[in-house]
Amino acid sequence: MINCIVIDDDYNIAKVFSDILELMGLNILACGYDGKEAAELYEKHCPDLIFTDIMMPEYDGFYGIEKIKKFDPDAKIVVITADVSYETYRKLEDLNVTAIICKPFDQSEIKKVLMEKYKIHTR
């Protein structure tokens, strides 16, 4: 089973995204609500995948990704974001995130990323 962590400052989005992943057969270890929690939960659980938003108050997703990559340079990170600016994409490429899914997300896009990037077959 694939173990995951979901990070989004919007509780409802984190919950819906977690539910979608569980329906696909992935195991959600924890949810967090900012970049600081992303780093803490990653170090605590060492998941196979982490899904994180970027634009969050106080500690954003960039903060969390940087901390996670220092702890584990090979971390598999999927960014879920509504910010599709060139600058954001450049930063994410520099941080070596594995995939980017744009909000509003749909189930087929999530499945496509899991299959193409990680060879994970979902329900």
Side-chain angles (χ1 to χ4, degrees):
M1 182 166 278
I2 306 298
N3 292 314
C4 306
I5 291 173
V6 174
I7 308 296
D8 197 298
D9 61 310
D10 184 318
Y11 173 83
N12 292 325
I13 290 175
K15 175 72 173 121
V16 168
F17 199 82
S18 295
D19 290 347
I20 290 170
L21 294 175
E22 285 180 336
L23 289 171
M24 291 180 181
L26 283 70
N27 182 42
I28 306 306
L29 299 171
C31 286
Y33 306 100
D34 67 21
K36 185 176 180 187
E37 279 188 296
E40 291 168 353
L41 291 170
Y42 190 89
E43 289 184 34
K44 179 179 178 182
H45 295 286
C46 294
D48 301 306
L49 287 170
I50 183 164
F51 295 86
T52 186
D53 188 13
I54 290 296
M55 299 304 158
M56 297 180 281
E58 201 164 344
Y59 296 98
D60 64 13
F62 293 117
Y63 175 92
I65 293 167
E66 288 169 3
K67 295 292 183 190
I68 290 166
K69 288 292 190 171
K70 283 181 185 172
F71 177 76
D72 178 2
D74 298 321
K76 292 176 179 69
I77 300 172
V78 177
V79 172
I80 314 298
T81 186
D83 180 357
V84 292
S85 70
Y86 176 76
E87 183 179 324
T88 296
Y89 272 88
R90 285 275 314 210
K91 283 183 182 178
L92 294 173
E93 281 181 353
D94 290 346
L95 290 169
N96 197 29
V97 301
T98 337
I100 301 168
I101 297 174
C102 294
K103 290 179 183 176
F105 52 81
D106 77 21
Q107 203 165 342
S108 63
E109 182 65 19
I110 298 165
K111 285 183 176 187
K112 180 180 173 185
V113 164
L114 292 172
M115 181 58 197
E116 289 179 2
K117 300 287 185 179
Y118 305 109
K119 308 299 183 232
I120 297 170
H121 297 276
T122 60
R123 294 183 197 146

